Amino acid sequence: MQHVTGLKCTICGKTYSVDEIAYVCPKHGDAGIVDVQYDYDFIKSRISRESLAQIPPLAGGARGGIWRYKPLLPVEPDSPVPPLRVGWTPLYNAPRLAARLGLQHVWVKDDGVGPTASFKDRASALAVVKAQEAGAEIITTASTGNAAAALAGLSASVGLPAVIFVPKSAPPAKITQHLIYGAREILVDGTYDDAFELTLKVAQEYGWYNRNTAYNPYMTEGKKTGVYEICEQLGWEAPDRIFVPVGDGCIIGGIHKGLKDLLALGWIDRMPKLMGVQAAGSAPLVDAFERGLQGWEMQPVAAHSVADSIVAGLPRDRNKALAAARETGGAFIAVADQEILNAIPVVAQNTGVFSEPAAAAAYAGLVKAVAEGLVASEERVVVMLTGSGLKDIASAMKTVPEPPIIAPTLDAVRELLGRA
Ligand SMILES: *Cc1c(COP(=O)(O)O)cnc(C)c1O
Ligand SMILES: [Zn+2]
């Protein structure tokens, strides 16, 4: 990988070569999350906005979806990529959402449409390529549900066995995905944080390739492709503010990374403000942001929310997540479970996009930020809708009335609708 210059610790700044360490900075153990460093001059010789424009985004195979940006991804140029089409998800203009909020420009990025219906496809696609580059025979991950669904699906597409650890409370649709894709599913009688710690030990013990979010430095790099697409879809004019739902903080860290890449290449000319949205019952990053704590000063907390995908008591990508908000003039905000649930039908009815609770949280965060006067009306705002509503229909059904049941007669309809 001539374009990757090293892996830099987010705590001490020490930089390692990609052959020296597989995951974290040895000086800081499992907390020593590293950041992939690039040679942007070299990358500029391999890709440009003009060369990208020649590749149809929905092209199949190695050129389509996120792989259009392959020279910006930490993989060997000739590494095979999974056949499933990951990325180039739609960015929809949402004028009715904007009008509700008194804003002029709102877009929603719909990552519910990927092969396994969440943003996690982007990271798991990278994981599968890196596992194969490493010659791994088995890949594993801890997950609240979506990361494992994505890993199970992407692994199935290349025939790589996957073992996944999820809390037994994960929504049934996500567990179904894992099982149907043929992953070895192990339900943990504990939290996501417990499953995460367990997976670190298991991967060591058995020598499996570990996809764990943040611990595996390449997950950020898969997730950054979401913002490459947003900027390309907006004609390389970066938005002013992006709302991102946050659990571990890998997505918001990835969005920040992608934007830093684009600035380094000179493809965009300003850094959007990144707004991390957490569920009130799982908001350690909101707390750390407000108290001015560094990621490495944070302690685990008990976490719970209807938005299962963003429940994390010790966000694993806390260093990158806090930097994303702080270095861009953004913020972290918390939204209540009821606000999250309320957002599901509002987004669906005003854009046609059906989101799972974690994804709807991003919109709930925008509503709150507007109410607090944080967003000016002329700002160009993007809301990241990170997962499909079909992932958790039980939560969605709490937000809408039960439909009537009638006899199959016209009279029954007349009685119901009140017109003869
Ligand atoms: C994982 C996930 C998130 C949060 O991503 P983090 O990297 O954990 O912050 C948000 N929405 C959905 C649907 C997810 O699956
Ligand atoms: Zn370090």
Side-chain angles (χ1 to χ4, degrees):
M1 295 191 291
Q2 227 179 315
H3 58 307
V4 177
T5 57
L7 302 169
K8 184 174 177 183
C9 177
T10 56
I11 299 178
C12 68
K14 183 170 163 53
T15 302
Y16 302 87
S17 80
V18 291
D19 305 318
E20 242 174 309
I21 57 170
Y23 303 108
V24 286
C25 172
K27 284 204 272 175
H28 297 98
D30 298 339
I33 304 305
V34 299
D35 184 40
V36 182
Q37 308 290 301
Y38 294 94
D39 176 347
Y40 292 105
D41 286 330
F42 181 82
I43 289 171
K44 273 187 199 168
S45 72
R46 292 291 186 277
I47 188 170
S48 66
R49 288 174 294 185
E50 294 70 33
S51 71
L52 266 175
Q54 302 304 311
I55 309 173
L58 298 179
R63 281 160 62 86
I66 65 172
W67 306 113
R68 295 172 74 240
Y69 307 107
K70 202 173 187 187
L72 279 153
L73 296 175
V75 297
E76 298 291 351
D78 54 357
S79 283
V81 302
L84 294 182
R85 195 176 74 211
V86 174
W88 203 261
T89 59
L91 181 74
Y92 295 121
N93 194 357
R96 281 182 289 144
L97 282 185
R100 278 177 78 92
L101 298 168
L103 301 177
Q104 291 166 30
H105 313 282
V106 175
W107 289 269
V108 295
K109 177 74 168 162
D110 180 13
D111 260 69
V113 301
T116 75
S118 88
F119 200 89
K120 298 297 194 296
D121 286 331
R122 298 176 185 275
S124 290
L126 255 284
V128 165
V129 174
K130 296 311 287 180
Q132 292 191 314
E133 283 182 355
E137 282 165 13
I138 293 179
I139 188 167
T140 189
T141 198
S143 169
T144 59
N146 282 339
L151 186 64
L154 270 298
S155 295
S157 79
V158 299
L160 177 67
V163 184
I164 58 200
F165 295 88
V166 298
K168 67 174 189 200
S169 58
K174 298 181 185 180
I175 292 176
T176 306
Q177 285 184 292
H178 310 156
L179 295 170
I180 291 292
Y181 285 126
R184 177 138 189 206
E185 170 97 312
I186 301 176
L187 297 178
V188 177
D189 187 7
T191 62
Y192 166 62
D193 299 273
D194 296 330
F196 196 101
E197 295 295 335
L198 177 61
T199 307
L200 295 177
K201 293 187 196 123
V202 174
Q204 283 265 317
E205 173 101 3
Y206 291 88
W208 297 340
Y209 188 79
N210 193 341
R211 179 223 174 273
N212 268 14
T213 297
Y215 176 81
N216 185 315
Y218 302 110
M219 301 305 91
T220 303
E221 307 302 307
K223 288 175 173 179
K224 73 183 183 182
T225 58
V227 84
Y228 291 169
E229 292 173 13
I230 289 170
C231 290
E232 189 173 354
Q233 287 165 323
L234 292 175
W236 300 110
E237 199 184 323
D240 296 306
R241 209 179 277 272
I242 306 177
F243 285 79
V244 186
V246 175
D248 274 323
C250 187
I251 298 181
I252 194 168
I255 298 301
H256 189 208
K257 179 64 172 290
L259 290 163
K260 286 190 285 189
D261 287 348
L262 297 180
L263 278 172
L265 293 168
W267 294 6
I268 59 171
D269 60 14
R270 64 168 176 277
M271 176 60 83
K273 297 182 170 67
L274 299 183
M275 306 292 285
V277 184
Q278 294 213 283
S282 178
L285 286 164
V286 180
D287 182 60
F289 182 80
E290 288 173 354
R291 290 166 57 199
L293 293 184
Q294 297 297 333
W296 50 90
E297 297 172 315
M298 291 173 65
Q299 298 298 322
V301 298
H304 55 84
S305 167
V306 66
D308 62 289
S309 304
I310 50 173
V311 175
L314 183 63
R316 300 294 160 163
D317 238 345
R318 50 197 181 275
N319 303 341
K320 290 181 187 174
L322 287 169
R326 285 185 179 141
E327 291 175 12
T328 64
F332 270 95
I333 47 185
V335 290
D337 275 6
Q338 193 56 53
E339 295 172 301
I340 291 172
L341 289 175
N342 292 347
I344 296 174
V346 170
V347 172
Q349 290 165 27
N350 289 283
T351 66
V353 179
F354 179 18
S355 299
E356 70 164 273
Y363 178 72
L366 170 59
V367 172
K368 185 151 190 187
V370 169
E372 290 180 357
L374 296 176
V375 187
S377 72
E378 67 278 6
E379 283 186 38
R380 299 162 76 249
V381 174
V382 172
V383 179
M384 310 281 303
L385 299 178
T386 45
S388 164
L390 294 176
K391 295 271 195 175
D392 181 6
I393 55 171
S395 296
M397 279 302 285
K398 290 181 192 153
T399 70
V400 284
E402 288 283 334
I405 300 174
I406 63 162
T409 64
L410 186 55
D411 275 348
V413 176
R414 285 181 181 140
E415 195 181 319
L416 183 74
L417 301 185
R419 200 184 71 93

